[in-house]
Amino acid sequence: MDKYRIDSHKLLYHVPRVNDWLNSRIIYPIYMEISPSGGCNHRCTFCALDFMGYQKRFLDAGALMERLSEMGNLGLKSIMYGGEGEPLMHEKIAEIINHTRKSGIDVALTTNAALLEEPISEKILGDMEWIKVSIGAATRDTYAKIHRTKPEDFDRVIKNLSSAAKVKQNNKYKCTLGMQILLLPENKNEIVRLAKIARDIGMDYLVVKPYSQHPLSKTQKYKDIKYNEYTALYDKLARLNTKDFDVIFRMNTMKKWDDGIKNYNRCFALPFWSYLDSGGNVWGCSVYLGDDRFLYGNIYEKSFKEVWEGDKRIQSLKWVERDLNANRCRTNCRMDEINRYLWDLKNPPEHVNFI
């Protein structure tokens, strides 16, 4: 059961902000993705942001924390640390996470967990809503081939996650711990095995999701993959669910990848989220990193309020509404379900009063 609505969206729980948007008011984002580190310790075969070049740059912790305090006051609800690099490579990531929570912002982390050692878990788990670990296989050799790293990293990740689960249990933290695997031809026979590992070491869930081709990615290996042949996995994985563990098989997202059909041709989601790269640049969309039409400003040069209410963002939103054809965007982008919801609000069918 997908009690976290991972295969759907949660914008329907933010009715006041949606109503302000419908009435053409300036709204601040509910959710932001931040990349503390441009570098990464893995070179995954499926990496969507490989075109960013794994730059060895890190957000300045002092400047970021100043902006976090500001963004919390402006109404930002949540931040996921991830992005174009491995966030745990930032030497002050624990301080950043702790300050995010102190700023009244919910915190999450997407990581490969190779650096999630017990001392880090002790420092951050109490302030976190969830940690999701990207793991490409259930065996050392397959993991090493997909993550393009040493087989020992697989053992290290499992050990780190086992320790994190114990830290959570011992301290009665609420932080949800999960794994996520992209279903690929190389790992299709290891999904059930990974689910058992995740369940047995104390994870709360395993997400099984489809690949999504980033338009700018150098990686083209999986662009023609189809998922209709993998749906039989659903029943096998469902038998592993317990009261404390769920396998979330993203069937809906897999069908959308195979079909490629959208109910919208314009992107309405940009006012509700944003992306901050490891160079301090604020972007409207992570699919168009490097495209100046989506660059709003830089947190080293301006306050977030100045960036968000600035002319560059206003002009960008006008261009997106007028000229951007969303059918050319990334299939199953992070805002897809939100766009489907907002499109229906803007373009209701007949007889909506017959509820």
Side-chain angles (χ1 to χ4, degrees):
M1 183 178 71
D2 183 10
K3 66 181 180 181
Y4 307 104
R5 297 183 66 90
I6 290 174
D7 208 25
S8 182
H9 75 92
K10 286 160 275 195
L11 193 57
L12 72 166
Y13 299 110
H14 299 276
V15 173
R17 202 150 324 185
V18 173
N19 188 58
D20 284 344
W21 172 76
L22 285 169
N23 286 289
S24 301
R25 301 188 184 107
I26 291 179
I27 61 169
Y28 281 92
I30 296 169
Y31 164 72
M32 174 176 274
E33 293 182 14
I34 295 181
S35 180
S37 166
C40 191
N41 50 351
H42 288 179
R43 292 293 184 272
C44 301
T45 59
F46 55 79
C47 182
L49 297 183
D50 53 3
F51 67 93
M52 293 293 288
Y54 309 108
Q55 303 172 65
K56 292 183 179 179
R57 62 181 185 177
F58 301 90
L59 279 171
D60 180 85
L64 175 58
M65 288 191 282
E66 184 179 344
R67 294 291 173 255
L68 289 171
S69 298
E70 179 196 3
M71 290 188 289
N73 289 329
L74 289 171
L76 184 70
K77 299 291 187 183
S78 66
I79 287 175
M80 188 272 283
Y81 289 107
E84 72 256 30
E86 167 53 50
L88 293 179
M89 289 180 68
H90 196 295
E91 63 180 6
K92 294 187 177 181
I93 188 61
E95 295 174 47
I96 291 169
I97 287 171
N98 299 151
H99 186 81
T100 306
R101 182 61 255 165
K102 288 177 183 176
S103 300
I105 302 170
D106 290 346
V107 199
L109 176 70
T110 298
T111 173
N112 59 40
L115 301 175
L116 188 65
E117 297 177 342
E118 189 168 334
I120 293 292
S121 291
E122 291 277 9
K123 291 178 181 177
I124 68 175
L125 256 62
D127 284 329
M128 302 211 65
E129 292 292 315
W130 53 263
I131 296 176
K132 188 181 295 178
V133 175
S134 177
I135 183 166
T139 61
R140 299 169 89 248
D141 289 343
T142 306
Y143 180 90
K145 289 177 183 176
I146 291 176
H147 284 254
R148 290 192 283 200
T149 188
K150 299 176 182 178
E152 297 81 53
D153 268 12
F154 177 79
D155 302 325
R156 185 177 294 110
V157 167
I158 299 303
K159 178 183 177 182
N160 289 344
L161 291 177
S162 298
S163 296
K166 290 174 184 176
V167 169
K168 172 186 173 179
Q169 183 179 21
N170 292 341
N171 293 279
K172 294 182 171 55
Y173 291 144
K174 70 172 186 176
C175 177
T176 301
L177 298 174
M179 290 180 177
Q180 177 172 273
I181 185 168
L182 286 179
L183 180 53
L184 304 172
E186 297 97 315
N187 63 26
K188 63 181 181 181
N189 295 320
E190 299 187 13
I191 305 294
V192 173
R193 181 172 179 173
L194 183 63
K196 291 178 179 178
I197 292 173
R199 180 195 61 191
D200 293 345
I201 66 172
M203 296 295 99
D204 295 298
Y205 65 75
L206 169 69
V207 174
V208 183
K209 64 181 289 188
Y211 176 77
S212 176
Q213 182 65 45
H214 194 294
L216 300 178
S217 178
K218 296 178 182 178
T219 300
Q220 300 288 314
K221 184 177 182 179
Y222 306 110
K223 65 182 179 63
D224 297 320
I225 191 171
K226 295 293 182 183
Y227 283 98
N228 53 8
E229 61 184 279
Y230 298 131
T231 54
L233 268 172
Y234 177 84
D235 292 331
K236 293 180 181 179
L237 293 166
R239 290 194 285 270
L240 299 176
N241 291 339
T242 70
K243 66 180 181 64
D244 299 315
F245 175 77
D246 290 306
V247 181
I248 301 168
F249 193 85
R250 297 189 63 177
M251 183 82 77
N252 179 47
T253 309
M254 291 182 191
K255 289 179 179 178
K256 288 190 296 182
W257 169 261
D258 284 354
D259 296 341
I261 299 173
K262 298 176 179 177
N263 72 326
Y264 59 92
N265 57 30
R266 288 287 180 266
C267 179
F268 292 144
L270 300 192
F272 295 93
W273 89 296
S274 190
Y275 182 94
L276 178 65
D277 73 18
S278 55
N281 298 303
V282 180
W283 298 89
C285 180
S286 61
V287 175
Y288 294 96
L289 295 176
D291 187 332
D292 283 347
R293 291 173 298 185
F294 293 85
L295 176 60
Y296 297 162
N298 190 288
I299 63 165
Y300 297 147
E301 300 169 359
K302 295 181 179 180
S303 69
F304 187 76
K305 186 176 190 295
E306 289 172 326
V307 170
W308 199 253
E309 295 186 6
D311 187 62
K312 288 195 71 174
R313 191 181 81 92
I314 293 171
Q315 294 306 315
S316 177
L317 291 179
K318 288 181 179 178
W319 180 85
V320 167
E321 184 175 351
R322 183 184 66 245
D323 295 327
L324 180 69
N325 184 351
N327 288 312
R328 297 177 183 174
C329 293
R330 185 180 187 179
T331 300
N332 285 333
C333 86
R334 196 176 297 275
M335 294 293 113
D336 178 69
E337 284 294 322
I338 287 176
N339 267 317
R340 292 172 186 267
Y341 172 65
L342 295 175
W343 181 267
D344 284 343
L345 289 180
K346 282 274 194 176
N347 301 276
E350 296 181 10
H351 310 152
V352 295
N353 292 332
F354 293 85
I355 61 173

